[in-house]
Amino acid sequence: MSVKLFPTKTLQAIAARARRDGFELPGDPEKDVYSIPVSGGADSSALAIVLCFLFPWLREKAIFTFTDTLAETEGLYEALDALEEYLGITITRITPEKGLFELIDDQGGFLPTHLQRWCTRR
């Protein structure tokens, strides 16, 4: 992912539209903590970029979090690094004791479904 695909003009247009439409973050920015999950993919990265552009104070106050599955490609970590550099933020990286493939092995190869969710509690 290249964060250079977000031209300033585009971000300015989004910000102008959001202000015109009266978009505000819910809660009280003075006392609430904002948690922004970042997966390293296009959607969450774009959301983080737009939020930081609309609300620059989020760069200092929000907690940006990435939860690793230990089954990620090297490119994903590079994308997270690039996002941190582009926005001037720190992404807290949560690393589990066991990765996705180890957890699947622990469950006898059984993949979680919407009816049987072992992954949520793990």
Side-chain angles (χ1 to χ4, degrees):
M1 179 188 97
S2 172
V3 291
K4 296 180 188 211
L5 295 177
F6 296 95
T8 303
K9 274 183 134 174
T10 301
L11 292 170
Q12 288 171 337
I14 292 169
R17 173 76 187 260
R19 284 190 206 84
R20 187 174 63 245
D21 291 349
F23 181 78
E24 294 180 14
L25 285 179
D28 182 351
E30 293 297 319
K31 54 184 181 175
D32 291 343
V33 176
Y34 294 87
S35 177
I36 302 172
V38 180
S39 69
D43 293 343
S44 67
S45 296
L47 177 63
I49 290 168
V50 170
L51 283 174
C52 286
F53 194 85
L54 287 172
F55 308 101
W57 53 267
L58 281 172
R59 293 176 183 166
E60 303 290 324
K61 184 163 179 152
I63 300 169
F64 296 86
T65 309
F66 166 73
T67 305
D68 203 334
T69 65
L70 301 179
E72 315 296 351
T73 64
E74 188 60 35
L76 182 116
Y77 302 111
E78 293 168 5
L80 291 173
D81 292 342
L83 187 61
E84 285 179 318
E85 184 177 333
Y86 180 72
L87 293 176
I89 62 170
T90 298
I91 299 173
T92 301
R93 300 173 191 213
I94 300 170
T95 305
E97 289 181 26
K98 290 186 176 186
L100 175 64
F101 298 126
E102 289 175 281
L103 292 172
I104 291 170
D105 286 345
D106 287 352
Q107 298 296 318
F110 178 72
L111 294 172
T113 70
H114 67 287
L115 298 174
Q116 302 261 343
R117 291 189 180 176
W118 57 261
C119 61
T120 305
R121 69 180 169 270
R122 298 290 303 268

